[in-house]
Amino acid sequence: MPTLTDVLREQTDLTPADVEWLHLLVGDWQLLSDLSFADLVLWARSRDRGWVAVAHVRPTTGPMVFFDDYVGRRVGSGRRPLLDQAFDGVRIIRERDPEWRDDMPIREEAIPVVREGRPIAVLTRHTNLATMRTPSRLELTYLATADALARMVASGEFPTRGAAPTGQRRGAPRVGDGVIRLDPDGTVNYASPNAVSAIHRLGHVGDVVGSSLSRIISEVLHDESPVDEGLPLVTSGRAPWRTDVETRGASVSLRAIPLMEAGHRIGAIVLLRDVSELRRREQELLTKDATIREIHHRVKNNLQTVAALLRLQARRLPESEGKAALEEAVRRVAVIALVHETLSQGFDETVDFDEIAARGLSSVVEVATREVPVRTVRTGSFGRLRAEDATALAMVVSELVQNAVEHGLAAQGGQLTVDARRSTEGEEEVLSVTITDDGAGLPEDFDPGRSGLGTQIVTSLVQDMRGRITWERAKPRGTTVRFVARLRPRGDG
């Protein structure tokens, strides 16, 4: 399905500012659809002076009208008089008689979308009259508020530029969560049952209708509670913003939409949602993340302690295989500690392995090369990896780089290149890594199965990652090692 941006760019001559205004409208028009109990379709003038549907939304408060999406549908010039009249006359047009669709009487209205005094599109509102009955006070309030918003769209006063984005934070209130209608002084004229329940959960005892919403909220807040500076503006309906109120273990999110008429504020609606459980879960996740980071930090510290003890032990030994083995163990422990250090600084169980590769490569080369110059080059990208893959991969890369520097480049130095590429095979991500040096090359009798401990460690770890590894002589000289590993999905856990 084409996106709003695609359709506007390909079929209309709207300016970037006009397109941005329509994006603002579509970002907030679920509110109008829910209050109207109606489908909304946004139409823009095409280059051939016809009309093209660029967006479509259905209500969550009642039955939809159109099962099929309208986006991309075109209407020739003069084929939709309702759209032409609303656009040319810059006024709301309502059909006198309903249109019948699939045995349903549908009432259609056309609302001009105005920006800076000129129409740029038309919004049609489609209501299923077959579901209409004697409306309750809730429905009457919703419909009256929807009409006020429609008039604001037609006068260029809605959407409100600079207002808090609807999706700014999880838990944004919607019409079904609770609605309060305020008069110009901030007094509650109407409160839906869900809104009253949310206010009572904050600790208010007594009536909501007829009271000042600002006074209600100020009375339930404790003096020591931190208060958002925008709270008075939201609760009085003077600013199109959002805020949260937390008290007595309850948390309610509020969003205000001032209602304007000819440039004057005639009242406001405030949407409310009880987000206590959502905030509790968010806090649990934050606590869990902090605990995980602390665990990684402690593991890193413990590994560094182990490395220090091994280093002290190695200093007590004369030059021998035992001392060399301890020094190798120190390096391997340090590589694992580096992964946990990186994890302790993040907010999830994945790490940017390019950062680890850069630090690890620099450390290995710096320690292993004392007298000969070795230049390192990294190409491609490892990307983000899960902790389990990162630890194994860090060990593999470290061992291969160490072997290349110690055995291939030890005599006269040279260049070491590490290339990483990610691809997708089916639903799995695959990492391909090539490490090349231009050193002495592999010995004639080289056999990975009968080589040293480092090669055995590398082979085992690659197999654990369901991969494969090969060693071969590079041309004109040197060694090339290639391995492929299948990665764990980053969305797990």
Side-chain angles (χ1 to χ4, degrees):
M1 179 181 297
T3 65
L4 173 61
T5 301
D6 292 337
V7 177
L8 292 176
R9 182 181 62 249
E10 296 170 2
Q11 303 193 41
T12 74
D13 292 321
L14 291 174
T15 67
D18 291 339
V19 171
E20 176 61 24
W21 186 260
L22 295 183
H23 274 286
L24 288 174
L25 175 63
V26 170
D28 223 8
W29 70 342
Q30 186 69 60
L31 170 67
L32 178 57
S33 177
D34 289 344
L35 289 170
S36 301
F37 307 101
D39 281 40
L40 303 179
V41 179
L42 181 62
W43 299 85
R45 267 250 164 92
S46 57
R47 293 190 177 95
D48 60 4
R49 309 307 295 167
W51 294 97
V52 56
V54 297
H56 180 189
V57 68
R58 300 170 178 85
T60 62
T61 52
M64 62 183 176
V65 173
F66 303 119
F67 179 80
D68 296 325
D69 204 289
Y70 251 59
V71 176
R73 296 196 181 189
R74 296 176 56 84
V75 175
S77 177
R79 294 287 301 279
R80 290 295 296 273
L82 203 66
L83 298 177
D84 296 330
Q85 293 172 27
F87 188 88
D88 297 336
V90 195
R91 60 191 180 93
I92 298 175
I93 303 294
R94 174 183 294 184
E95 284 188 333
R96 294 182 177 180
D97 299 319
E99 178 183 352
W100 287 84
R101 291 178 179 268
D102 300 326
D103 297 326
M104 294 186 301
I106 307 300
R107 184 181 65 205
E108 183 175 335
E109 297 169 84
I111 305 162
V113 179
V114 174
R115 172 182 169 268
E116 295 184 350
R118 61 183 181 83
I120 61 174
V122 174
L123 187 69
T124 52
R125 182 163 55 169
H126 308 264
T127 306
N128 184 358
L129 299 180
T131 62
M132 300 299 288
R133 63 191 190 290
T134 302
S136 64
R137 188 179 178 193
L138 179 146
E139 291 168 329
L140 289 173
T141 302
Y142 281 15
L143 292 171
T145 305
D147 288 341
L149 286 174
R151 292 192 295 272
M152 290 172 62
V153 172
S155 63
E157 295 173 302
F158 187 85
T160 307
R161 190 178 296 278
T166 302
Q168 186 180 43
R169 188 179 182 187
R170 286 201 308 159
R174 302 175 73 171
V175 170
D177 299 318
V179 174
I180 285 179
R181 179 74 183 258
L182 302 179
D183 68 12
D185 297 324
T187 301
V188 178
N189 284 340
Y190 174 80
S192 69
N194 285 346
V196 173
S197 296
I199 294 296
H200 286 166
R201 277 191 285 272
L202 287 175
H204 174 70
V205 178
D207 294 333
V208 174
V209 177
S211 302
S212 165
L213 182 60
S214 295
R215 183 177 59 79
I216 290 174
I217 298 301
S218 63
E219 288 178 353
V220 299
L221 289 174
H222 300 292
D223 293 338
E224 66 273 11
S225 302
V227 177
D228 183 356
E229 293 180 355
L231 180 61
L233 295 176
V234 172
T235 55
S236 62
R238 296 179 181 276
W241 206 249
R242 281 191 54 201
T243 188
D244 282 3
V245 176
E246 297 184 11
T247 179
R248 297 181 56 175
S251 181
V252 173
S253 181
L254 296 87
R255 182 193 175 200
I257 302 98
L259 299 178
M260 310 295 293
E261 192 79 57
H264 299 285
R265 188 170 59 85
I266 60 172
I269 59 170
V270 179
L271 306 181
L272 299 88
R273 179 182 178 185
D274 184 352
V275 292
S276 305
E277 183 63 20
L278 179 61
R279 297 292 178 257
R280 185 186 67 80
R281 291 180 180 178
E282 287 178 347
Q283 187 59 45
E284 287 181 351
L285 289 175
L286 290 174
T287 303
K288 177 183 176 182
D289 289 342
T291 301
I292 291 174
R293 292 198 301 274
E294 178 62 22
I295 290 172
H296 285 303
H297 181 71
R298 294 188 182 188
V299 170
K300 182 263 297 184
N301 288 344
N302 290 338
L303 289 171
Q304 289 179 337
T305 300
V306 171
L309 293 174
L310 292 173
R311 194 177 295 111
L312 287 173
Q313 186 66 39
R315 289 174 182 171
R316 292 177 174 270
L317 296 176
E319 294 294 335
S320 63
E321 290 186 3
K323 182 174 183 176
L326 285 178
E327 290 175 345
E328 286 292 307
V330 169
R331 178 180 59 80
R332 288 164 183 151
V333 171
V335 169
I336 301 174
L338 176 59
V339 176
H340 284 281
E341 179 183 5
T342 307
L343 285 166
S344 70
Q345 298 170 356
F347 292 92
D348 55 27
E349 279 295 279
T350 65
V351 293
D352 181 358
F353 196 82
D354 290 310
E355 177 185 349
I356 294 176
R359 293 175 61 184
L361 187 61
S362 174
S363 175
V364 170
V365 171
E366 181 180 349
V367 172
T369 58
R370 300 290 185 180
E371 301 176 356
V372 295
V374 173
R375 189 166 71 94
T376 60
V377 176
R378 286 195 308 116
T379 58
S381 175
F382 290 92
R384 296 195 70 85
L385 304 176
R386 285 186 58 83
E388 303 92 322
D389 288 333
T391 301
L393 189 61
M395 290 289 293
V396 171
V397 173
S398 174
E399 292 292 337
L400 293 176
V401 169
Q402 181 77 16
N403 287 341
V405 172
E406 283 192 353
H407 303 295
L409 304 173
Q412 58 186 21
Q415 178 171 299
L416 178 70
T417 303
V418 179
D419 177 77
R421 306 287 170 179
R422 290 179 79 146
S423 60
T424 303
E425 292 184 5
E427 296 183 355
E428 289 187 312
E429 280 196 289
V430 177
L431 177 66
S432 303
V433 181
T434 303
I435 299 177
T436 305
D437 68 75
D438 57 0
L442 294 170
E444 293 294 335
D445 59 347
F446 175 76
D447 182 358
R450 293 184 298 176
S451 296
L453 177 62
T455 304
Q456 295 177 22
I457 290 174
V458 166
T459 302
S460 176
L461 290 173
V462 171
Q463 289 175 349
D464 288 343
M465 290 189 286
R466 297 176 298 144
R468 59 186 184 278
I469 184 169
T470 60
W471 285 262
E472 59 186 48
R473 292 178 178 82
K475 295 180 180 180
R477 46 181 274 165
T479 303
T480 297
V481 184
R482 295 186 177 89
F483 71 88
V484 176
R486 298 184 180 276
L487 304 177
R488 294 174 173 83
R490 283 172 289 170
D492 289 359

